[in-house]
Amino acid sequence: MKLYGFLLVAAQLPAVLCLWPLPRSLEVGSSALKLASSFEIHLNVAHAPSDLEDAVSRTKAFLKNDKLGRLVVGRGASDSGALQHAPALRSLQLSLAHNVPVRSITDEARLPIGTRSEEYSLHIPADGSTATITANSTLGLFRGLTTFEQLWYEFSGEIYTVEAPVSIADSPAYPYRGFMLDTSRNFFPVSDIKRTLDAMSWVKMSQFHWHVVDSQSFPLEVPGFTELASKGAYSSSMVYTPSDVQEIVSYAGARGIDVMIEIDTPGHTAIISAAHPEHIACAEASPWTTFANEPPAGQLRLASAATRNFTADLLASVARMFPSTIMSTGGDELNVECYTQDAQTQADLSASGRTLEQALDAFTQATHAALRAEGKTPAVWEEMVLDHNVTLGNDTIVMVWISSANAAAVAAKNFRIVHGPSDYFYLDCGAGEWIGDDVANSWCDPFKTWQKSYTFDPLANISAAQAHLVLGGEQLLWTEQSGPENLDSIVWPRAASSAEVFWSGPGGNLTTALPRLHDIAFRMRQRGVNAIPLQPLWCALRPGKCDIDS
């Protein structure tokens, strides 16, 4: 059976096809094939980098330890007869195309967005002869390994598939497939971030957007600016040191993930006043609803030359901590009233002869120049393009968050787009309001189901001539009501839905996607990520039986 993207109807899908994300081209058979007890993975790669060798070791461990029974009634008992005489696969060989440079997975994952090579081919014969993964990069080989791991199940001590032979030719529809985590509202230990990176890699995500600081806390220890964390973190134990950052970016890179750091400016910066009150307007002003979108109020004094230089130097220092070619300066939810009532800002505007918008433009040009001097491409939230008249480089990446309808306006201005609209991809929505004396629902209710995010169309209202501007998208977790206690359950497996949209392309069938999403959620739990159930187990073992028209 052969599949191309999402062109098949539900009845045509094999009963046990459970890959996530779905490969762009897939052929499967119906023969049983076991993994031999002596199964090995051979690297036919000269001077194989250590992170590729480590990836092979992880794959072997997953094959041995996943111990996932097929999600069918009996959990694979009906396969026992076919397994008695099934051939055994003894080896998988990984090879790079002829004459391609050998770089580490980490180096490949950090190449500029749109230049990374992630395509691969995977072939598993039905007769037990050597399986192969071939690619044009070590990153492609790694993506192939993650697919290979998902093909196998366990019953009565045998690791097997009932879909041999398998032939896959795969590549991503979009290069940016991401997840954003806010670590300012509530702190997440390094171990939680690393576990999240693991889960991201299993569904072929490529970008970790780290919203590391905000008005509530400043947990990042920045060389030359250590006072920001020492006075702005919740506690000395809730700080990301430079060594923590190195550990996280190295861990991510080895799993094919680039880390884009965000230091939101000039808004969302109240906490800086704990160390530098001279740089913050309306710090913790009351009522906060007049001066900010959420408490505490406080914004950088963007009209001040001293603040502009301070911020540029801070961003440059942060940029040197992260090897990614992209860094976000935020730019959302600027509160004008804060500046109107700040005497220092008004004096600075008067002295310079600038309007507030002109001061914002000068601030943005200075901070972005500092990033570019460090080799970074700036990313911003959509307001910097749609609400303000500021000068941005043509290569600036714009994150669309307020509404999916706004992407077309960003494309019309010829900027590259990353989709993260609240009406599809905000994972925190639906928990009710977190403001203490407000009984209303949250601003972005209702809860964004996996079905909702799965139906997203990256090219809706975007012309064919503008389609090249769409880099991909991400799901986001703002953490006013989240912490280590519910990180796994609020993110997984929902965030996997967008991973498939941006790898396989839009247009997937919800009915046929659900059994595959069950499968990756079960596999995540086997590997220590506490993804929530999507249905009663009875339903998961009987695909389609719990559909409304069943």
Side-chain angles (χ1 to χ4, degrees):
M1 177 167 289
K2 193 167 188 175
L3 292 81
Y4 290 104
F6 288 122
L7 300 180
L8 291 226
V9 297
Q12 293 175 288
L13 283 171
V16 294
L17 175 63
C18 286
L19 298 177
W20 196 282
L22 193 68
R24 306 291 293 284
S25 174
L26 168 66
E27 295 179 60
V28 295
S30 56
S31 298
L33 179 67
K34 300 183 292 188
L35 279 191
S37 59
S38 59
F39 173 79
E40 283 293 339
I41 301 177
H42 301 294
L43 276 172
N44 185 26
V45 177
H47 309 293
S50 60
D51 58 5
L52 180 58
E53 293 176 337
D54 291 343
V56 167
S57 296
R58 289 196 303 275
T59 293
K60 291 167 66 176
F62 289 144
L63 292 171
K64 178 181 178 181
N65 299 321
D66 276 358
K67 297 187 185 326
L68 179 63
R70 282 211 295 125
L71 295 183
V72 294
V73 175
R75 303 305 299 271
S78 60
D79 301 328
S80 58
L83 293 178
Q84 290 181 9
H85 306 291
L89 178 65
R90 299 186 179 279
S91 65
L92 168 67
Q93 180 171 282
L94 274 59
S95 303
L96 290 174
H98 185 60
N99 282 338
V100 301
V102 179
R103 290 186 288 248
S104 68
I105 296 171
T106 299
D107 287 345
E108 295 282 355
R110 293 173 181 169
L111 290 173
I113 194 78
T115 69
R116 303 164 191 168
S117 172
E118 300 181 80
E119 66 275 10
Y120 68 92
S121 297
L122 167 62
H123 300 284
I124 304 174
D127 61 2
S129 55
T130 299
T132 60
I133 298 175
T134 57
N136 293 319
S137 71
T138 55
L139 180 58
L141 292 177
F142 175 67
R143 301 296 187 219
L145 283 172
T146 64
T147 300
F148 184 82
E149 296 162 6
Q150 293 179 13
L151 289 165
W152 306 92
Y153 299 92
E154 191 270 346
F155 182 78
S156 192
E158 296 283 5
I159 302 169
Y160 71 98
T161 180
V162 290
E163 294 182 309
V166 178
S167 183
I168 292 171
D170 203 8
S171 61
Y174 296 94
Y176 191 113
R177 307 174 305 280
F179 169 67
M180 190 218 77
L181 180 64
D182 160 24
T183 60
S184 171
R185 272 68 178 216
N186 282 302
F187 182 82
F188 294 81
V190 171
S191 59
D192 287 315
I193 295 175
K194 290 168 70 174
R195 189 177 66 257
T196 300
L197 291 166
D198 281 329
M200 291 172 64
S201 74
W202 301 334
V203 294
K204 298 183 175 65
M205 284 185 168
S206 62
Q207 208 75 33
F208 176 49
H209 173 182
W210 190 0
H211 186 92
V212 64
V213 300
D214 209 289
S215 279
Q216 289 81 4
S217 75
F218 201 108
L220 181 65
E221 184 180 293
V222 182
F225 297 85
T226 56
E227 72 278 6
L228 295 175
S230 64
K231 294 187 177 182
Y234 286 128
S235 75
S236 59
S237 65
M238 293 183 172
V239 171
Y240 303 108
T241 66
S243 62
D244 291 333
V245 169
Q246 178 59 42
E247 182 178 356
I248 288 167
V249 298
S250 296
Y251 196 88
R255 285 152 183 79
I257 297 168
D258 185 36
V259 179
M260 180 186 75
I261 196 70
E262 178 189 351
I263 305 294
D264 204 352
T265 62
H268 291 273
T269 48
I271 195 62
I272 291 176
S273 67
H276 290 283
E278 70 275 17
H279 292 310
I280 300 298
C282 61
E284 298 192 33
S286 180
W288 64 263
T289 51
T290 299
F291 303 103
N293 281 52
E294 66 178 54
Q299 301 180 149
L300 286 163
R301 286 188 165 119
L302 56 78
S304 161
T307 300
R308 190 164 59 244
N309 294 335
F310 166 84
T311 307
D313 290 345
L314 169 63
L315 294 179
S317 186
V318 173
R320 290 189 285 272
M321 299 175 70
F322 291 86
S324 175
T325 61
I326 312 170
M327 180 172 165
S328 175
T329 60
D332 62 320
E333 297 182 330
L334 200 64
N335 186 286
V336 174
E337 189 63 25
C338 172
Y339 293 128
T340 300
Q341 296 194 29
D342 182 57
Q344 182 62 54
T345 296
Q346 293 303 310
D348 289 335
L349 290 174
S350 178
S352 66
R354 289 175 172 146
T355 64
L356 185 62
E357 279 292 303
Q358 289 169 337
L360 176 62
D361 184 42
F363 178 91
T364 303
Q365 290 194 55
T367 54
H368 283 198
L371 292 192
R372 292 185 184 281
E374 300 297 333
K376 308 299 184 188
T377 298
V380 296
W381 294 113
E382 64 178 75
E383 291 99 315
M384 296 298 283
V385 169
L386 300 182
D387 295 348
H388 299 292
N389 184 24
V390 298
T391 304
L392 297 172
N394 292 335
D395 61 343
T396 302
I397 295 170
V398 179
M399 322 288 286
V400 175
W401 71 274
I402 296 174
S403 170
S404 56
N406 294 349
V410 175
K413 292 178 179 289
N414 208 37
F415 285 103
R416 294 185 294 171
I417 296 169
V418 170
H419 291 291
S422 59
D423 50 332
Y424 282 86
F425 291 151
Y426 270 31
L427 295 166
D428 54 301
C429 302
E433 185 55 82
W434 59 271
I435 301 300
D437 55 355
D438 190 342
V439 297
N441 291 327
S442 68
W443 73 274
C444 62
D445 279 4
F447 183 86
K448 303 300 182 285
T449 65
W450 75 266
Q451 294 97 326
K452 176 69 173 179
S453 52
Y454 193 71
T455 60
F456 183 75
D457 180 1
L459 298 181
N461 301 314
I462 292 176
S463 70
Q466 298 164 338
H468 70 283
L469 296 171
V470 178
L471 297 177
E474 63 182 17
Q475 285 187 264
L476 306 91
L477 180 62
W478 301 104
T479 61
E480 287 90 347
Q481 293 178 293
S482 294
E485 300 80 5
N486 71 332
L487 175 61
D488 290 2
S489 61
I490 200 169
V491 176
W492 305 111
R494 277 194 298 158
S497 60
S498 66
E500 178 156 294
V501 169
F502 293 112
W503 178 280
S504 309
N509 181 291
L510 290 170
T511 299
T512 58
L514 180 55
R516 295 186 295 107
L517 192 56
H518 277 309
D519 199 87
I520 193 64
F522 273 73
R523 201 172 290 275
M524 284 180 173
R525 290 195 288 274
Q526 295 296 99
R527 298 179 182 183
V529 172
N530 292 317
I532 62 168
L534 297 172
Q535 287 182 312
L537 182 57
W538 190 93
C539 303
L541 299 180
R542 297 166 176 83
K545 290 294 185 181
C546 294
D547 289 357
I548 197 167
D549 58 352
S550 176

